[in-house]
Each structure stands twice: as C-alpha cells, then as structure tokens.
Amino acid sequence: MDGTTTGVAQVDGLRLHYTRAGSGPLVVLLHGWPQTSRCWQPVLGELARDYTVVAPDLRGYGRSDKPTTGYDKRRMAADMAGLVESLGCGRAAVVGHDRGARVAHRWALDRPEQVERVALLDIVPTREMARRTDATIAAGYWHWFFHLQPDLPERLAGADVRGYLEYFFERWTYNRHALTDEAVDAYVAAFSRPGALRAGFDDYRAMETDVALDDADFAEGRLLTVPVLALWGAVGLPARLPTLDIWRDHSARPELVTGAEIAECGHFIAEEAPEALLAHLRGFLPKAA
C-alpha cells in the first residue's frame, strides 16, 4: 500500500529488518515459522488505516540477521523491545502468530509497561505444550521434536527446502489456496538463504530454556497482566485443547482474556481468514484518536 516503507534497525549489534506503514497507535505484528513478516500482507494495509503498523522479521528469519545464539524467547522479546525503542515508539499493542506469539507472550510478561495488550494466534503457552504432551500432541507437533535434534533437520530439510515447507503449508491449512504461489515462493526463498534453516530450527531448540523460564514465572505467580486476545483456527490442535481456559490460567486478570475459534480456518490465520482476523482485532486494539 502507499506509504509502506522498509528499514533495518540495529539492536545490540543485531540487524532487524522491518516493514512500517500508517500512523496512529503502535501495533507490532510478529510472524511465526516457516514464514516471515510477509505473512501479514493481507491485513497490514487495513490496520495501517488507523495504526502505525510495524512488522519485523524476527531474529534468524527473513532479512534479519541469523546469529548462532539468542533464540530463547526472552532474548527475542528483548530484540523487539529494542526495535520499538529504536523507532522512537513507546507502548505497543502486539499481535503474534505461532513462534511470534511465543515471543509476544514473553514480551508481555517481561515488559508489561511496554506491551499494552497482546493478541496470540493459534498457540497455547510453551510450558503447557510440554506439560500436556501426549499421543495427540506428539502426533500434531512432531516437528517440534524433530527440529530439536542437532544437525539432522538441516541435512534432511536442506535437501528439499520447498518440499519440506510445502508439506506444512498444505497440512496446516483449511483453505489451501490462501497461501498463494507467490507467498510460498517468498517463504521458500527466505529459508533457502544461508543460515535460515538452522536459525529457524534453533528457535525450536530453545524450548528447554523457554519452558524453564515459563515454569519459573508461573511458580512465582508472574502472570500476564495485560488484556489478551486468543484466536485459533477451527482446524488444528488448539481447537482440541481448552485454549481459552489455558490462557486465563496464565493471566493475573482472567477477566481481561477473551478469545474465539475462527471457522473454516487452519493455522495460518492472517492469510486464511484476514477479514475474520481484522474483525477481532478491531474490537480488541486500542481505539485510534
């Protein structure tokens, strides 16, 4: 859309690529795996009518740097905090999907003074994934355990990046035409860059640290204090879990936790059901002046 710009911010020596559009209250959009900030294209323009929208590529993804360390969600959330500060912005509403939602969750826990409210798309907390692992979760999230292995995922997936990613784009969607050929080509190109596959798998390999941080916070009663919107597709594992109840258990103010299942939608909500997502976000995000 007109007025959209791209930029690179340097945060603690890390170069983070981002797209920016619009004006008004700040909304930060955080993508997941195996995608980049491009996944927000179907909703970014509409949001930019009322908000300043910033959609970064997370550490290790897209056109951002791909260091060999720093993939625990506390570090990745600190990246986002530094990015917002480098842009001269204050408080933000944060919308995260998949791995980006895990970064958003940690960001809201660690910096509630910076995160005004948080929308979490198609996940439950990482500690709950670990606690609730049974045959159903293992079958649906087998890739977590595969990606945790050293070296092997890079070797096997690297032999056919397109084939590996397209498996997930097909299996995790309800509307399989929602991810266009152009979008899939962009994601395949992104994960074909040097270091990109390894960085994406390192995001998963940080699970032990992420669960330890989540468990410590939960045990000490450090819960979310900001308003939470949880959304999930009707086709996918979160639809088989008490997702809304789980998020309320992880909030110090469960009355501020709302959510909904999106019909005829799989995992990739922004691309499969952009209008439904926008409708929910319009009712949740702070009102523009």
Side-chain angles (χ1 to χ4, degrees):
M1 62 169 286
D2 292 341
T4 299
T5 61
T6 59
V8 176
Q10 187 123 343
V11 177
D12 289 339
L14 185 76
R15 291 168 297 183
L16 294 170
H17 174 267
Y18 63 89
T19 298
R20 181 173 182 169
S23 62
L26 177 62
V27 176
V28 179
L29 307 176
L30 303 181
H31 67 86
W33 184 95
Q35 298 184 293
T36 69
S37 58
R38 189 197 187 285
C39 75
W40 300 110
Q41 281 190 8
V43 299
L44 190 146
E46 283 299 313
L47 288 174
R49 294 178 184 274
D50 299 305
Y51 301 97
T52 297
V53 182
V54 174
D57 289 332
L58 295 168
R59 170 188 293 250
Y61 289 84
R63 296 187 180 277
S64 290
D65 280 350
K66 299 165 182 61
T68 57
T69 59
Y71 292 93
D72 64 273
K73 302 308 160 290
R74 174 161 284 165
R75 176 64 260 176
M76 294 178 77
D79 292 342
M80 296 300 101
L83 170 63
V84 166
E85 291 164 3
S86 76
L87 297 175
C89 300
R91 284 168 64 77
V94 181
V95 182
H97 174 248
D98 187 80
R99 309 304 297 179
R102 302 189 187 285
V103 176
H105 180 203
R106 174 48 58 187
W107 190 3
L109 281 172
D110 287 353
R111 292 176 170 82
E113 74 285 352
Q114 190 178 45
V115 176
E116 181 178 354
R117 56 188 59 219
V118 61
L120 303 164
L121 277 52
D122 217 58
I123 71 159
V124 296
T126 305
R127 71 179 296 271
E128 293 293 337
M129 293 295 299
R131 282 193 336 111
R132 294 169 182 265
T133 295
D134 58 12
T136 298
I137 288 182
Y141 284 77
W142 63 269
H143 64 289
W144 280 47
F145 307 103
F146 177 56
H147 292 176
L148 288 173
Q149 307 311 310
D151 303 326
L152 186 62
E154 288 90 334
R155 179 169 184 176
L156 298 184
D160 183 7
V161 175
R162 178 177 294 276
Y164 191 64
L165 299 191
E166 285 186 341
Y167 175 90
F168 296 98
F169 294 141
E170 179 174 321
R171 294 298 182 94
W172 289 355
T173 50
Y174 177 86
N175 175 7
R176 292 178 175 174
H177 298 289
L179 271 74
T180 65
D181 290 343
E182 180 186 9
V184 172
D185 287 348
Y187 299 139
V188 170
F191 282 90
S192 298
R193 293 192 181 105
L197 276 178
R198 184 265 310 154
F201 298 146
D202 283 347
D203 186 347
Y204 287 88
R205 290 171 182 142
M207 181 177 177
E208 184 176 357
T209 300
D210 293 335
V211 170
L213 290 171
D214 286 359
D215 282 346
D217 279 344
F218 194 82
E220 296 179 21
R222 288 194 297 269
L223 305 174
L224 290 167
T225 58
V226 303
V228 174
L229 174 66
L231 299 173
W232 60 94
V235 180
L237 188 59
R240 288 177 271 168
L241 296 170
T243 296
L244 192 54
D245 290 338
I246 291 171
W247 280 114
R248 285 174 174 156
D249 288 342
H250 284 74
S251 173
R253 302 184 65 189
E255 72 278 8
L256 297 182
V257 179
T258 58
E261 179 175 289
I262 298 179
E264 298 184 349
C265 183
H267 179 60
F268 301 103
I269 295 173
E271 287 155 304
E272 291 189 68
E275 290 303 322
L277 175 57
L278 285 168
H280 285 291
L281 291 179
R282 289 186 183 112
F284 177 73
L285 294 174
K287 302 304 180 186

Coordinates of all heavy atoms in Angstrom, one line a residue, residues 226-260:
V226 N -1.8 -7.8 31.2 CA -2.4 -7.0 30.1 C -3.6 -7.7 29.5 O -3.7 -9.0 29.6 CB -1.4 -6.7 29.0 CG1 -0.2 -6.0 29.7 CG2 -0.9 -7.9 28.3
P227 N -4.5 -7.0 28.8 CA -5.5 -7.7 28.1 C -5.0 -8.7 27.0 O -4.0 -8.4 26.3 CB -6.3 -6.5 27.4 CG -6.0 -5.3 28.3 CD -4.6 -5.5 28.7
V228 N -5.6 -9.8 26.9 CA -5.2 -10.9 26.0 C -6.4 -11.2 25.1 O -7.5 -11.4 25.5 CB -4.8 -12.1 26.8 CG1 -4.4 -13.3 25.8 CG2 -3.6 -11.8 27.6
L229 N -6.1 -11.4 23.8 CA -7.0 -11.9 22.8 C -6.4 -13.2 22.3 O -5.3 -13.2 21.7 CB -7.3 -11.0 21.7 CG -8.1 -11.5 20.5 CD1 -9.5 -11.8 21.0 CD2 -8.1 -10.5 19.3
A230 N -7.0 -14.3 22.5 CA -6.5 -15.6 21.9 C -7.4 -16.0 20.8 O -8.7 -16.1 20.9 CB -6.5 -16.7 23.0
L231 N -6.8 -16.3 19.6 CA -7.6 -16.7 18.5 C -7.0 -18.0 17.9 O -5.7 -18.2 18.0 CB -7.6 -15.7 17.4 CG -8.2 -14.3 17.7 CD1 -7.9 -13.3 16.6 CD2 -9.7 -14.4 18.0
W232 N -7.8 -18.9 17.4 CA -7.3 -20.2 16.9 C -8.2 -20.6 15.8 O -9.4 -20.4 15.7 CB -7.1 -21.2 17.9 CG -8.4 -21.6 18.6 CD1 -9.2 -22.7 18.3 CD2 -9.0 -21.0 19.8 NE1 -10.3 -22.7 19.2 CE2 -10.2 -21.7 20.1 CE3 -8.6 -19.8 20.5 CZ2 -11.0 -21.3 21.1 CZ3 -9.5 -19.5 21.6 CH2 -10.6 -20.2 21.9
G233 N -7.6 -21.3 14.8 CA -8.4 -21.9 13.7 C -9.1 -23.1 14.1 O -8.7 -23.9 15.0
A234 N -10.3 -23.3 13.5 CA -11.1 -24.5 13.9 C -10.5 -25.8 13.5 O -10.8 -26.9 14.0 CB -12.5 -24.3 13.2
V235 N -9.5 -25.7 12.5 CA -8.8 -26.9 12.1 C -7.4 -26.8 12.6 O -6.6 -26.1 12.1 CB -8.8 -27.0 10.5 CG1 -8.1 -28.3 10.1 CG2 -10.3 -27.1 10.0
G236 N -7.1 -27.6 13.6 CA -5.8 -27.5 14.2 C -5.8 -28.0 15.6 O -6.9 -28.1 16.2
L237 N -4.6 -28.2 16.2 CA -4.6 -28.7 17.6 C -5.1 -27.8 18.6 O -5.8 -28.3 19.5 CB -3.1 -29.1 17.9 CG -2.9 -29.8 19.2 CD1 -3.7 -31.1 19.2 CD2 -1.4 -30.1 19.4
P238 N -4.9 -26.5 18.6 CA -5.5 -25.6 19.6 C -7.0 -25.8 19.7 O -7.6 -25.6 20.8 CB -5.1 -24.2 19.2 CG -3.8 -24.4 18.5 CD -4.0 -25.7 17.7
A239 N -7.7 -26.1 18.6 CA -9.1 -26.3 18.7 C -9.5 -27.6 19.5 O -10.6 -27.7 19.9 CB -9.7 -26.5 17.3
R240 N -8.5 -28.5 19.7 CA -8.8 -29.7 20.5 C -8.4 -29.5 22.0 O -8.4 -30.5 22.8 CB -8.1 -30.9 19.9 CG -8.7 -31.3 18.6 CD -7.9 -32.5 18.0 NE -6.9 -32.0 17.1 CZ -5.9 -32.7 16.6 NH1 -5.8 -34.0 17.0 NH2 -5.0 -32.2 15.8
L241 N -7.9 -28.3 22.3 CA -7.5 -28.0 23.7 C -8.4 -26.9 24.3 O -9.0 -26.2 23.5 CB -6.0 -27.5 23.7 CG -5.0 -28.5 23.2 CD1 -3.6 -27.7 23.1 CD2 -4.8 -29.6 24.2
P242 N -8.5 -26.9 25.6 CA -9.3 -25.8 26.2 C -8.5 -24.5 26.2 O -8.1 -23.9 27.2 CB -9.5 -26.3 27.6 CG -8.3 -27.1 27.9 CD -8.0 -27.8 26.6
T243 N -8.2 -24.0 25.0 CA -7.3 -22.9 24.7 C -7.6 -21.6 25.5 O -6.7 -21.1 26.2 CB -7.2 -22.6 23.2 OG1 -6.7 -23.7 22.5 CG2 -6.3 -21.4 23.0
L244 N -8.8 -21.2 25.5 CA -9.2 -20.0 26.3 C -9.0 -20.2 27.8 O -8.5 -19.3 28.4 CB -10.6 -19.6 25.9 CG -11.1 -18.2 26.4 CD1 -10.1 -17.1 25.8 CD2 -12.5 -17.9 25.9
D245 N -9.4 -21.3 28.3 CA -9.2 -21.6 29.7 C -7.7 -21.6 30.1 O -7.3 -21.1 31.1 CB -9.8 -22.9 30.1 CG -11.4 -22.9 30.1 OD1 -11.9 -21.8 30.2 OD2 -12.0 -24.0 30.0
I246 N -6.9 -22.2 29.2 CA -5.5 -22.2 29.4 C -4.9 -20.8 29.5 O -4.1 -20.5 30.5 CB -4.8 -23.0 28.3 CG1 -5.1 -24.5 28.4 CG2 -3.2 -22.9 28.4 CD1 -4.6 -25.4 27.3
W247 N -5.3 -19.9 28.6 CA -4.7 -18.6 28.7 C -5.2 -17.8 29.9 O -4.5 -17.0 30.5 CB -5.1 -17.8 27.4 CG -4.1 -18.2 26.3 CD1 -4.4 -18.8 25.1 CD2 -2.7 -17.9 26.2 NE1 -3.3 -19.0 24.4 CE2 -2.2 -18.4 25.0 CE3 -1.8 -17.3 27.1 CZ2 -0.9 -18.4 24.7 CZ3 -0.5 -17.2 26.8 CH2 0.0 -17.8 25.5
R248 N -6.5 -18.1 30.3 CA -7.0 -17.5 31.5 C -6.2 -17.9 32.8 O -6.0 -17.2 33.7 CB -8.5 -17.7 31.7 CG -9.3 -16.9 30.7 CD -10.8 -17.2 30.7 NE -11.5 -16.3 29.9 CZ -12.7 -16.5 29.3 NH1 -13.3 -17.7 29.5 NH2 -13.2 -15.6 28.6
D249 N -5.8 -19.2 32.8 CA -4.9 -19.7 33.9 C -3.6 -19.0 33.9 O -2.9 -19.0 34.9 CB -4.7 -21.2 33.7 CG -6.0 -22.0 34.0 OD1 -6.9 -21.4 34.7 OD2 -6.1 -23.2 33.6
H250 N -3.1 -18.4 32.8 CA -1.8 -17.8 32.7 C -2.0 -16.3 32.8 O -1.0 -15.6 32.4 CB -1.1 -18.2 31.4 CG -0.5 -19.6 31.5 ND1 -1.3 -20.7 31.5 CD2 0.7 -20.1 31.7 CE1 -0.6 -21.8 31.6 NE2 0.7 -21.4 31.7
S251 N -3.1 -15.8 33.2 CA -3.3 -14.4 33.4 C -3.6 -14.1 34.8 O -4.4 -14.8 35.5 CB -4.4 -13.9 32.5 OG -4.8 -12.5 32.8
A252 N -3.0 -13.0 35.3 CA -3.4 -12.5 36.7 C -4.8 -11.8 36.7 O -5.4 -11.6 37.7 CB -2.3 -11.5 37.2
R253 N -5.3 -11.5 35.5 CA -6.6 -10.9 35.3 C -7.4 -11.6 34.3 O -7.5 -11.2 33.2 CB -6.4 -9.4 35.0 CG -5.6 -8.6 36.0 CD -5.5 -7.2 35.7 NE -6.9 -6.5 35.7 CZ -7.1 -5.3 35.3 NH1 -6.2 -4.6 34.8 NH2 -8.3 -4.8 35.4
P254 N -7.9 -12.8 34.6 CA -8.5 -13.7 33.6 C -9.7 -13.0 33.0 O -10.1 -13.4 31.9 CB -8.9 -14.9 34.4 CG -8.8 -14.5 35.8 CD -7.8 -13.5 35.9
E255 N -10.3 -12.0 33.7 CA -11.5 -11.3 33.1 C -11.1 -10.5 31.9 O -11.9 -10.1 31.1 CB -12.1 -10.4 34.1 CG -11.3 -9.2 34.5 CD -10.3 -9.4 35.5 OE1 -10.0 -10.6 35.9 OE2 -9.7 -8.4 36.0
L256 N -9.7 -10.2 31.7 CA -9.2 -9.5 30.6 C -8.8 -10.4 29.4 O -8.3 -9.9 28.4 CB -8.0 -8.6 31.0 CG -8.3 -7.5 32.0 CD1 -7.0 -6.7 32.3 CD2 -9.4 -6.6 31.5
V257 N -9.1 -11.7 29.5 CA -8.7 -12.6 28.5 C -10.0 -13.0 27.7 O -10.9 -13.6 28.3 CB -8.1 -13.9 29.1 CG1 -7.7 -14.9 28.0 CG2 -6.8 -13.5 29.9
T258 N -10.0 -12.7 26.4 CA -11.1 -13.1 25.5 C -10.5 -13.9 24.4 O -9.3 -13.9 24.2 CB -11.8 -11.8 25.0 OG1 -10.8 -11.0 24.3 CG2 -12.4 -11.0 26.1
G259 N -11.4 -14.5 23.6 CA -10.9 -15.3 22.5 C -12.0 -15.9 21.7 O -13.2 -15.9 22.1
A260 N -11.6 -16.6 20.6 CA -12.6 -17.2 19.7 C -11.9 -18.1 18.8 O -10.7 -18.0 18.5 CB -13.3 -16.1 18.9

